Amino acid sequence: MLEVSRNIQDEITSIGIPEKARWLENYIKHQVKSKGVGIPEIRKILLRANKQFQLMDRSVQHQIEILNDLMLQEYAEDKLAAILYLQLFWKGTNEEITLELVSNWFDEGLITDWNICDWLCVRILSPMVDNMAEITLLELSQWNNNKNLWKARASLVPFAQSKTIAKHTEMIKEFSTVLIKREERFCKTAVGWVLREYSKVDSNLVTTFLEEHKDWVTKEVGKNATKYLS
């Protein structure tokens, strides 16, 4: 285990709250293991680690090793630390490396629950959809039909919190059409979440999509997608 990664993990462990850990494990499900530490505390630990170990001065390869080591750990907070590290210190640079890194995390089975998947989507991939659209959208298109449900989910979820969601109509329709036809609940709920947000732009598209795909739309998806419709 790398010194920096071990330091971050040990600090997170030292402030864990067992009662909070049990609550999070019950809430997230998927056999998640938690230390019971919140995002603000993890952020502070990372900022201290950056100051102590001068992370920004290290090579990209060394930083990747730190990130991979954090993501390899079994506890949710250690994985979240890797995601927050990307958000705090990479600042939109190394986009090709970031996408390759994240893609490998899915392929290696290191992301296995909706909490980690969606945090990654919202904190890292949504801003990339807005700011580095061409390379990001190309990558997401390759994830959409992936057999790994979390990687497939991650092809669509970033659009939900995208500031440029209105620019991606055709891709949202295409990706949603693939995911709504899958059996996995968390592929389908990605569609409901994104359509809910897109309904603020074009409610007709949402109602048309739901009607055209009614054989695959669950009650949960329909309720979520129409939340903002009158």
Side-chain angles (χ1 to χ4, degrees), residues 20-22 24-25 32-37 74-77:
K20 185 174 183 177
R22 287 193 291 271
L24 285 169
E25 289 169 356
V32 165
K33 296 186 68 175
S34 172
K35 296 180 178 181
V37 179
E74 60 181 341
Y75 286 93
E77 288 83 357

Side-chain angles (χ1 to χ4, degrees), residues 19-185:
E19 294 79 7
K20 185 174 183 177
R22 287 193 291 271
W23 183 89
L24 285 169
E25 289 169 356
N26 184 61
Y27 176 65
I28 298 170
K29 311 297 185 184
H30 299 284
Q31 298 183 324
V32 165
K33 296 186 68 175
S34 172
K35 296 180 178 181
V37 179
I39 294 296
E41 289 75 24
I42 298 173
R43 184 187 300 272
K44 291 176 184 177
I45 289 169
L46 287 171
L47 291 173
R48 287 199 297 271
N50 181 45
K51 185 176 181 180
Q52 179 180 353
F53 296 102
Q54 299 180 323
L55 300 178
M56 299 297 290
D57 295 333
R58 302 192 177 212
S59 68
V60 170
Q61 184 55 44
H62 192 190
Q63 293 185 63
I64 288 174
E65 291 173 3
I66 295 170
L67 289 163
N68 282 336
D69 195 51
L70 289 169
M71 190 57 71
L72 275 165
Q73 305 309 311
E74 60 181 341
Y75 286 93
E77 288 83 357
D78 299 329
K79 294 177 183 289
L80 289 170
I83 297 169
L84 286 170
Y85 185 115
L86 287 175
Q87 183 187 14
L88 288 169
F89 306 137
W90 283 38
K91 300 294 184 183
T93 60
N94 304 306
E95 54 266 24
E96 292 183 2
I97 298 174
T98 300
L99 290 169
E100 181 180 2
L101 178 68
V102 170
S103 180
N104 288 337
W105 287 346
F106 285 113
D107 292 342
E108 293 170 10
L110 304 181
I111 298 174
T112 58
D113 67 83
W114 61 266
N115 181 50
I116 300 299
C117 179
D118 292 1
W119 261 92
L120 177 61
C121 289
V122 171
R123 298 292 177 169
I124 306 302
L125 297 178
S126 291
M128 293 183 72
V129 166
D130 293 334
N131 301 317
M132 284 83 71
E134 183 175 357
I135 185 174
T136 305
L137 296 178
L138 178 61
E139 181 72 19
L140 296 183
S141 69
Q142 296 172 14
W143 296 6
N144 185 231
N145 202 29
N146 196 277
K147 64 180 181 180
N148 182 314
L149 82 90
W150 302 112
K151 192 171 190 178
R153 178 180 172 88
S155 71
L156 184 60
V157 166
F159 293 103
Q161 297 299 310
S162 168
K163 297 177 181 178
T164 58
I165 189 172
K167 296 182 179 180
H168 306 298
T169 304
E170 293 307 314
M171 190 159 280
I172 289 171
K173 288 169 59 179
E174 177 186 343
F175 288 7
S176 295
T177 298
V178 171
L179 295 190
I180 200 63
K181 294 178 181 178
R182 290 181 62 149
E183 294 297 324
E184 301 101 325
R185 176 192 173 198

Side-chain angles (χ1 to χ4, degrees), residues 170 173-174 176-177 180-181 191 195 204-217:
E170 293 307 314
K173 288 169 59 179
E174 177 186 343
S176 295
T177 298
I180 200 63
K181 294 178 181 178
V191 177
L195 290 184
N204 289 332
L205 181 145
V206 173
T207 55
T208 298
F209 181 93
L210 295 174
E211 176 61 26
E212 290 178 348
H213 299 86
K214 59 185 178 182
D215 290 343
W216 298 281
V217 172

